[in-house]
Amino acid sequence: MNWAVTTYDSPFGYVSAKGAPLVDLLDPQPGERIIDLGCGTGAFSAEIAERGAEVLGIDGSAEMIAQAAALNPGLSFAIGDAHDFTTSETFDAVASNGALHWMTADPDAVIAQVHAALRPGGRFVGELGGAGNCAELIVAMQTAWRVFGLGEPELPWYFPTPAEYATRLEEGGFTVRLLEHAERPTLMTEGPNGAADWVRVYMAHALADVPPELVEPLLGRIVDLAAPALRRESGWVADYVRLRFAAVRKPDGAAPMPVGPFADP
Ligand code: BEZ
């Protein structure tokens, strides 16, 4: 389901990062070789390919990859887990749009695999949910679960703070060129029942454990709790918060950042 701050000058191009298409930040060049990590059904891969780059879409779901291949004939796709995918050659860039927050097992392992897939100087550009993402939706859901005496549902996402993700990138061998954390309220055009639809789609695993007779009352309570913050005359608005970054793989053998009291001035 697609529910559907700055400017800066760099090898990535001069773009308004807030709300601008991520592909503009990536700035693919004709002939570049680029991985779309967590490609889903390949919409972002197609945008990259339209700029003349050679794209390889990777996703952990065989169903997604089958659909991506069917929808985008001529593009290359492969099934792979972002935590341990390997490539036989190096790439100019790795990009990821709206997928890194689903890769919860070990964010450092994902960054390490991206590093290994890039040539020195290669770019890692992405957008994921940032700290505070969907906070109203999540609090409404957790409160309702408690009201109905159910154990708190496990959240299947990783929404880092900018400081945390920048540290992971730097420690993973990248220089961070841009990192921004911005609210992006988004109309739930495909979810007329707002918070209830959102929970049905994205928390289906937790809903499956709820006694059937409690499902509708539980969803009704979530709607009541979330509506004051998220329901407008024009429809429901999801309280998305995006973390967007552009980083460059450091050259091989780059000196580690000096740290601590004995670092050179
Ligand atoms: C997101 O894109 O931020 C998102 C989508 C579904 C569930 C949670 C977060």
Side-chain angles (χ1 to χ4, degrees):
M1 181 179 278
N2 176 23
W3 281 346
V5 284
T6 65
T7 55
Y8 111 122
D9 193 3
S10 83
F12 299 96
Y14 185 76
V15 295
S16 165
K18 185 179 177 187
L22 189 64
V23 72
D24 287 343
L25 185 60
L26 176 64
D27 196 18
Q29 299 299 307
E32 278 193 321
R33 297 169 36 74
I34 298 180
I35 290 175
D36 175 9
L37 192 60
C39 65
T41 59
F44 188 50
S45 307
E47 284 186 52
I48 297 169
E50 270 169 27
R51 305 283 179 101
E54 236 180 82
V55 64
L56 170 63
I58 296 179
D59 200 285
S61 155
E63 292 77 25
M64 289 286 182
I65 287 295
Q67 219 178 322
L71 290 169
N72 302 280
L75 302 194
S76 300
F77 294 99
I79 301 167
D81 181 337
H83 295 85
D84 63 12
F85 75 99
T86 53
T87 57
S88 54
E89 48 209 323
T90 55
F91 285 73
D92 299 298
V94 174
S96 184
N97 192 8
L100 291 167
H101 53 247
W102 293 102
M103 303 171 191
T104 55
D106 184 352
D108 291 326
V110 174
I111 290 170
Q113 296 313 116
V114 171
H115 187 274
L118 286 170
R119 63 168 171 78
R123 326 194 285 292
F124 182 24
V125 173
E127 184 174 299
L128 67 156
N133 193 35
C134 302
E136 297 282 358
L137 286 163
I138 290 170
V139 166
M141 182 174 70
Q142 289 173 325
T143 305
W145 245 261
R146 269 200 306 276
V147 166
F148 281 82
L150 303 163
E152 247 188 42
E154 199 168 312
L155 304 180
W157 312 295
Y158 165 63
F159 299 142
T161 65
E164 178 188 340
Y165 208 67
T167 301
R168 288 188 191 278
L169 287 168
E170 290 284 348
E171 290 182 349
F174 289 90
T175 301
V176 176
R177 290 279 172 77
L178 174 141
L179 184 69
E180 62 177 23
H181 185 230
E183 292 181 2
R184 190 175 308 151
T186 302
L187 204 57
M188 297 179 179
T189 50
E190 293 174 41
N193 299 311
D197 286 346
W198 187 85
V199 171
R200 271 198 198 95
V201 171
Y202 294 116
M203 291 297 290
H205 64 286
L207 220 43
D209 293 336
V210 173
E213 69 280 8
L214 291 187
V215 168
E216 285 310 317
L218 180 78
L219 291 171
R221 182 63 69 97
I222 293 169
V223 164
D224 291 344
L225 289 165
L230 302 178
R231 189 159 58 195
R232 314 262 196 280
E233 268 184 34
S234 53
W236 281 83
V237 172
D239 53 339
Y240 285 162
V241 176
R242 303 285 93 178
L243 192 63
R244 183 176 269 211
F245 65 89
V248 178
R249 183 187 150 154
K250 288 178 191 160
D252 282 335
M257 291 279 285
V259 288
F262 305 113
D264 287 338

